[in-house]
Amino acid sequence: MSSYKLIDATSNELPMVSVAMLAYNHEAYISQAIESVLMQSVNFTFQIVIAEDHSNDGTRQIVLDYQKRYPNLIKVLLQNQNVGMAQNNHSLLENLNGKYVAVLEGDDYWIDPLKLQTQVDFLEANETYSMVFSGCKIINTDQNINTGIETNLETRTYVALEIFRKWIVPTASVVFRNKYQEEIFKNCAHKDVIFPDIILFLTLASKGEIYCISTIMSAYRRHASGISVINPLQGQKAVLHYKAVKEIFGSEFHKIGDNFIAKVYLNMALTNFRVSPLSSIIDFITGLYYDFNVVVDYVKLKLVKQ
């Protein structure tokens, strides 16, 4: 039995682009997200597919109102109960039937009316590329949040290790070929994955080339309730996530994965030392095991500052 109700009055004709939109407690933002898709100037068909995860604010009603106004463009999945991002994302992915998928979460938005046209034109002309992304404006609604994302992008091809090493790809800017659902499902469903967007990007990088158009076409919102503000250097969940990346994508990612794991353990050791000195010492030693240089470089930096 399905976990959601599907409302779909769109055409049976397959669209060129499915716009994939996750929505949960986005009452303040979702109208802007939807409007930014509706303003796109394109010479092809597109469909907006919104997976609404049983929000406890007014998000669902806003989504339903838009579906009633644009029944030929908007398909809605209404979860029967809150299922969480991973399951809601899976439900969303299995309802995308466009040749391409454009990603836009309900708290982000597009700012360039030619975004979709530009990115689809690129993929149509370059068969070896599985994904294209663009520059993005960062909207930081909480000054206490470190944005983290790399904003100095270049118009060029990026390789998988670059995407993994730094937060380069703004999720709201991505368009990809809708050809690899089975592997995307399998990889993103790994029990230890907590950042499915990077798993999506690395899966696509294993299938083709990744291109960046550095023009700023999207806005990526950072706020306290957004999933993207989770600190990737905190806790055992982060350790398991980076181990999962190593397991899924193989030896090419082991060195960088170990580097990240070492940083997580070092962060835990420093954060928890006053509360639990013994476990912090163990975390420190574990960090040394995964990447000796990470810990040594940190100690050297502290000594220089003194």
Side-chain angles (χ1 to χ4, degrees):
M1 183 177 176
S2 176
S3 67
Y4 57 84
K5 176 183 178 182
L6 178 65
I7 301 175
D8 183 10
T10 60
S11 168
N12 291 327
E13 179 185 351
L14 297 182
M16 177 69 86
V17 177
S18 292
V19 179
M21 187 177 295
L22 291 172
Y24 178 67
N25 286 355
H26 290 155
E27 179 181 22
Y29 312 118
I30 190 123
S31 292
Q32 187 175 23
I34 296 171
E35 290 289 347
S36 75
V37 180
L38 296 173
M39 77 169 186
Q40 292 297 300
S41 177
V42 296
N43 61 12
F44 51 77
T45 58
F46 66 85
Q47 182 184 85
I48 307 172
V49 187
I50 306 173
E52 200 287 316
D53 194 16
H54 211 272
S55 301
N56 53 32
D57 62 6
T59 300
R60 176 164 293 199
Q61 189 56 54
I62 294 171
V63 168
L64 288 171
D65 289 345
Y66 269 98
Q67 190 279 329
K68 289 177 183 176
R69 289 165 57 191
Y70 302 96
N72 60 320
L73 288 178
I74 299 177
K75 177 165 64 174
V76 174
L77 291 69
L78 303 176
Q79 295 291 354
N80 297 325
Q81 60 184 8
N82 180 248
V83 296
M85 185 185 67
Q87 180 58 49
N88 197 36
N89 190 51
H90 189 280
S91 300
L92 178 62
L93 287 172
E94 66 185 8
N95 281 278
L96 306 176
N97 53 14
K99 181 178 180 180
Y100 302 106
V101 173
V103 183
L104 181 64
E105 295 190 8
D107 53 349
D108 301 322
Y109 59 98
W110 297 337
I111 59 179
D112 186 341
L114 295 176
K115 175 193 182 294
L116 276 188
Q117 187 70 57
T118 301
Q119 292 179 300
V120 169
D121 284 349
F122 175 83
L123 290 173
E124 286 283 279
N126 296 276
E127 287 290 331
T128 62
Y129 285 82
S130 58
M131 184 183 105
V132 59
F133 67 101
S134 72
C136 196
K137 179 170 72 170
I138 309 300
I139 309 296
N140 195 7
T141 60
D142 186 342
Q143 296 304 315
N144 294 319
I145 296 173
N146 179 12
T147 58
I149 193 167
E150 177 65 48
T151 56
N152 188 26
L153 297 174
E154 301 172 355
T155 297
R156 64 173 175 87
T157 299
Y158 281 81
V159 299
L161 287 177
E162 288 181 285
I163 292 171
F164 184 46
R165 185 179 291 113
K166 286 186 177 182
W167 186 5
I168 287 175
V169 181
T171 306
S173 76
V174 168
V175 176
F176 65 90
R177 296 187 190 277
N178 193 17
K179 294 170 60 176
Y180 316 108
Q181 277 198 359
E182 185 175 342
E183 192 154 353
I184 290 169
F185 281 154
K186 182 186 72 173
N187 291 347
C188 289
H190 190 291
K191 63 182 178 62
D192 294 325
V193 166
I194 58 174
F195 302 111
D197 48 357
I198 188 63
I199 302 300
L200 169 66
F201 306 151
L202 294 180
T203 301
L204 291 167
S206 73
K207 299 299 182 182
E209 296 177 277
I210 306 295
Y211 195 75
C212 174
I213 300 170
S214 62
T215 305
I216 294 175
M217 300 182 182
S218 307
Y220 195 76
R221 203 185 307 269
R222 302 273 285 168
H223 54 95
S225 59
I227 187 67
S228 63
V229 303
I230 295 174
N231 187 341
L233 298 182
Q234 287 184 353
Q236 287 293 336
K237 287 185 177 181
V239 170
L240 293 174
H241 172 80
Y242 291 123
K243 286 183 177 180
V245 171
K246 291 165 56 180
E247 177 186 332
I248 294 168
F249 298 106
S251 59
E252 182 182 8
F253 295 86
H254 283 197
K255 184 175 180 179
I256 298 177
D258 286 346
N259 179 276
F260 281 137
I261 291 170
K263 289 177 180 177
V264 173
Y265 277 111
L266 178 59
N267 186 69
M268 289 193 296
L270 296 172
T271 301
N272 301 323
F273 184 76
R274 291 186 178 181
V275 177
S276 182
L278 179 58
S279 65
S280 293
I281 291 170
I282 294 172
D283 287 339
F284 188 84
I285 294 171
T286 306
L288 284 170
Y289 168 78
Y290 276 100
D291 193 328
F292 182 85
N293 291 326
V294 166
V295 181
V296 169
D297 288 346
Y298 176 81
V299 172
K300 286 181 179 177
L301 182 63
K302 284 294 185 182
L303 289 175
V304 168
K305 287 183 177 180
Q306 289 178 357

